[in-house]
Amino acid sequence: MLNKIASFIENFEIEYVIYFLLVAVLSLWSLITFKKRKFQLKIGRLNLFVNFVALGFLTYWLLILPGEINFSEKGIGLVIPVISIVFIVLAQKAIKRDDELVKSADRFR
């Protein structure tokens, strides 16, 4: 069991780990700054950019690996940034909608 984990860590390059940690930190930072909607939107855009870069790196990594494509071994990690991108886009839309609602309520005061 430990040999499998060690070989996985050896084969997985540090750049990918850094990108995944950066995405996680940006997502948590965006959650924490819920009172500053404009800043939250900027963090979300930065997170989208980092996710697209990570998706590009993962796609490149998938294409340069030798052998046939066993999706359970190589390609399942490619789905994670895609899901993250979808949820970030949905969050961005909801934040914009909330910001517009707050601005319209401020007009009535």
Side-chain angles (χ1 to χ4, degrees):
M1 176 77 175
L2 290 176
N3 290 336
K4 288 183 180 180
I5 294 172
S7 68
F8 174 76
I9 292 173
E10 287 175 3
N11 291 335
F12 208 69
E13 296 185 21
I14 193 71
E15 294 90 12
Y16 306 119
V17 174
I18 290 171
Y19 276 113
F20 285 128
L21 287 176
L22 185 62
V23 166
V25 167
L26 284 174
S27 297
L28 289 175
W29 193 15
S30 178
L31 283 173
I32 291 170
T33 60
F34 61 91
K35 290 189 178 186
K36 303 173 187 173
R37 285 181 298 276
K38 296 290 183 189
F39 186 66
Q40 193 177 21
L41 286 170
K42 289 179 184 179
I43 292 174
R45 281 188 232 120
L46 179 64
N47 202 356
L48 271 174
F49 176 73
V50 172
N51 267 306
F52 276 118
V53 170
L55 182 64
F57 276 130
L58 284 172
T59 304
Y60 174 73
W61 181 60
L62 179 68
L63 293 176
I64 65 168
L65 286 177
E68 64 185 39
I69 296 178
N70 290 331
F71 219 77
S72 62
E73 291 178 12
K74 297 180 186 176
I76 195 69
L78 193 64
V79 177
I80 294 170
V82 172
I83 293 171
S84 178
I85 288 169
V86 168
F87 282 130
I88 291 171
V89 168
L90 290 174
Q92 293 285 87
K93 285 184 180 181
I95 293 168
K96 284 180 185 177
R97 197 170 43 228
D98 184 45
D99 195 30
E100 290 171 2
L101 182 66
V102 169
K103 285 180 182 178
S104 70
D106 285 342
R107 285 188 214 128
F108 291 125
R109 287 190 211 181

